Structure formats: C-alpha cells, structure tokens
Amino acid sequence: MLVKGPGSPALCERLAERLDADVVDVEHNIFPDGEHYVRLLDDVHGEDCVLVQATYPDENLLELFLIQDAIFENGANSLALVVPYYSYARQDKRFMTGEPVSARAISRLIEVGCDSFFSIDLHSENVLDFFNIPSTNLSAMPLLVDHACLFDPDILLSPDEGGKERVMQAAEGTEIDWDYLVKKRIDGETVIIEPKGMKAEGKTVVILDDIISTGGTMVEAARQLFEQGAEEVHAGCTHGLFVGDSLKCLEALCDSVFCADTVECERSEVTVAPLILHELYGIE
Ligand code: R5P
C-alpha cells in the first residue's frame, strides 16, 4: 500500500497510477497551539507499506515522524520510506565548533520507524552512512538531462565543483559536452562564481544542480554565462525549494527554469516516479 504523505501527494499519485495500487490518504491538521495531527484513512494492518514524504519544509519532517508511528501503531507489516528530498543533508558534518551533524540527527529519528530508506540526489552520499538500515540514494540527473535535451544544449554545466561528478555522470552516454564553474560561498545568500574561459559564446547551456534554494548560485552562474556570450541559459535542478522570490529572479534571467517533483512546486516538470518504480518494483 502506498501511503500518501502530505509532503509528496502528486508524486505518490503518479506512482499509484503506474502501479495500479491502493493509496492510503493521510488526514493532517494543526491544533490551535501549533501541534500537528495526522491520521491514516485506511487500514494498513498486515500490509507492506511504502510511505512517500519529502521532509521540506520542516512541517513535513515532523509529520513524517508521526505518520511512521501511525503506520506501525496500526499493525503494518513493514515500511519502506521514500524521502524524495531529504532536508538537512547539507549539514552532513561539523563545519565549526559547536555545530551538530544535522543530517545524522535526522537519520537517527527516521530509521527507528522504517525498514528501509530511499532518497533522491542526497546533497551528500555521506548521509547514507548515518543509517543502520538498508538505504539507497537514486539520481534524478539522467531524467533532468532527458528534459534538458528539449533545448538542444551544447553544454551541461555544474555551477560548482561539488556537483561536477553528478553532471559528468549524467552527460555520459550523450553527445553533450559538460563543464563546471568554481563557486565561493560568502554567506547563506551570496556566492561568487569565478569567470572561467568556457567558450560559451553563442552556445545553449543548461546548468544543473541538486538544489535551488535562494537561487544565489544559479543566478550568479547564469550571469557569468550571459557575460561570456551564451545564447541561451536554462536552469534545472532536482530539488526546487525556490525560497523567497528566487523563482521570479531566475525566470527573469534564464530562458527556462525546471526541477523534479521531489519538492512539489509549479516548476516540477520532471517526475522521479520512474526511478522509484524501477528501484522498488523493478518496473522499467
Ligand atoms: C550547494 O553546494 C548546492 O549544491 C547548491 O548549489 C546550493 O544549495 C544552492 O543554494 P542557493 O540556491 O541558495 O544558492
């Protein structure tokens, strides 16, 4: 049975449609004092359940814990947890004295309530090491590249060195060149991207990243490319958080903006359903 977490309803419906499976709806409310309430609207007794729930924003993380508890409290046999976007993965180590390893703290809470864990484009694969249950990270990059092919790109580009491997692997098996830029983060919203002789003049470039949050990285990368004479710049990512007016800014600058449905939003033009169907059910 597929349990439709309130953080990922459209993705769950897409999976159910392709599987012809039953969906367990989840009622969710907030009490006047701000506490959350959830209730499964179907019987899961004896069932092997798959719960699909992104953990952004934080409300979804909290509701995830409650739904996990409800699933076992109501007699489910097993739970495979699919977290299409796993938040807090960027804090996968202690960067400064006094900090927590947030990704580990979250994994400890999650793993007590499920039998296996699946996620997509975790910001860092290190996160898998924090789980003591079978855990898997899937990549949506090939699906994003398929979408990018609509624009007939000359270059697939990572906006920073950290995303270089992702883009390199996604470009494998295509005829499209790939490259990366060098980014320096100043603070949560400001980044500097070093100009790089990329031969972008007259080219169509698709920038691909795992996350667009404040949009600072994408905006800087796109500006650099236009300054270097790029003809078209498209911005794509797996997880579109689009904080504040970042989507508006990006749309004013780029030729198109797209993301996957790991965080559901108006630019979720690529579904990760095929990845999940293949990994969990062996369906091509
Ligand atoms: C950082 O290493 C990530 O891969 C993304 O580049 C980053 O999280 C994007 O954040 P923002 O949109 O706030 O620049």
Side-chain angles (χ1 to χ4, degrees):
M1 283 182 116
L2 280 169
V3 182
K4 185 164 75 175
S8 302
L11 175 57
C12 189
E13 288 293 353
R14 283 178 195 123
L15 292 170
E17 205 176 295
R18 292 186 201 186
L19 285 167
D20 198 17
D22 289 332
V23 169
V24 178
D25 282 307
V26 179
E27 179 186 341
H28 64 117
N29 285 313
I30 300 181
F31 288 109
D33 59 4
E35 288 188 3
H36 287 248
Y37 169 86
V38 302
R39 180 170 168 245
L40 306 179
L41 296 180
D42 269 301
D43 184 12
V44 295
H45 193 271
E47 298 286 350
D48 293 310
C49 295
V50 175
L51 166 62
V52 188
Q53 170 82 338
T55 58
Y56 176 86
D58 279 357
E59 284 74 23
N60 286 330
L61 179 61
L62 190 70
E63 289 188 348
L64 168 65
F65 300 139
L66 302 182
I67 299 166
Q68 283 182 289
D69 194 80
I71 286 171
F72 285 113
E73 175 61 24
N74 288 277
N77 182 48
S78 69
L79 174 61
L81 175 63
V82 178
V83 178
Y85 173 59
Y86 184 90
S87 49
Y88 293 91
R90 283 171 284 183
Q91 185 76 22
D92 65 330
K93 55 175 113 111
R94 178 163 50 89
F95 297 95
M96 287 199 289
T97 311
E99 290 181 346
V101 180
S102 308
R104 183 184 59 202
I106 304 296
S107 72
R108 282 179 181 156
L109 294 170
I110 283 181
E111 71 176 3
V112 294
C114 59
D115 300 288
S116 54
F117 168 83
F118 301 85
S119 193
I120 294 161
D121 286 328
L122 284 167
H123 179 66
S124 157
E125 284 261 343
N126 294 344
V127 172
L128 295 180
D129 297 336
F130 299 140
F131 284 89
N132 296 299
I133 54 172
S135 51
T136 307
N137 182 32
L138 306 169
S139 175
M141 283 291 149
L143 298 173
L144 294 177
V145 170
D146 284 350
H147 184 84
C149 285
L150 294 174
F151 314 121
D152 197 12
D154 300 297
I155 306 170
L156 299 173
L157 184 79
S158 167
D160 56 30
E161 236 177 315
K164 178 174 126 179
E165 289 287 315
R166 259 193 298 266
V167 171
M168 185 185 79
Q169 281 169 15
E172 256 169 38
T174 72
E175 303 280 288
I176 314 167
D177 283 343
W178 68 274
D179 208 332
Y180 66 96
L181 296 172
V182 178
K183 172 175 97 177
K184 191 169 167 208
R185 183 165 284 287
I186 307 299
D187 59 39
E189 292 184 26
T190 324
V191 296
I192 297 175
I193 290 189
E194 287 176 11
K196 194 175 163 203
M198 258 193 47
K199 301 205 176 90
E201 201 169 339
K203 300 276 169 65
T204 295
V205 185
V206 178
I207 315 171
L208 293 173
D209 207 351
D210 58 338
I211 305 169
I212 297 178
S213 178
T214 66
T217 301
M218 267 307 171
V219 164
E220 261 317 294
R223 275 199 194 124
Q224 283 289 341
L225 290 164
F226 281 125
E227 269 171 30
Q228 292 174 35
E231 172 85 21
E232 278 181 41
V233 177
H234 301 266
C237 70
T238 306
H239 314 297
L241 310 185
F242 299 120
V243 173
D245 59 3
S246 55
L247 180 56
K248 241 200 224 162
C249 292
L250 275 168
E251 288 188 323
L253 183 65
C254 299
D255 293 276
S256 77
V257 182
F258 61 95
C259 63
D261 54 359
T262 53
V263 176
E264 297 179 11
C265 70
E266 54 185 304
R267 284 292 163 269
S268 295
E269 289 168 18
V270 176
T271 180
V272 295
L275 286 180
I276 299 168
L277 291 168
H278 179 259
E279 184 65 27
L280 273 80
Y281 302 94
I283 295 174
E284 288 302 331

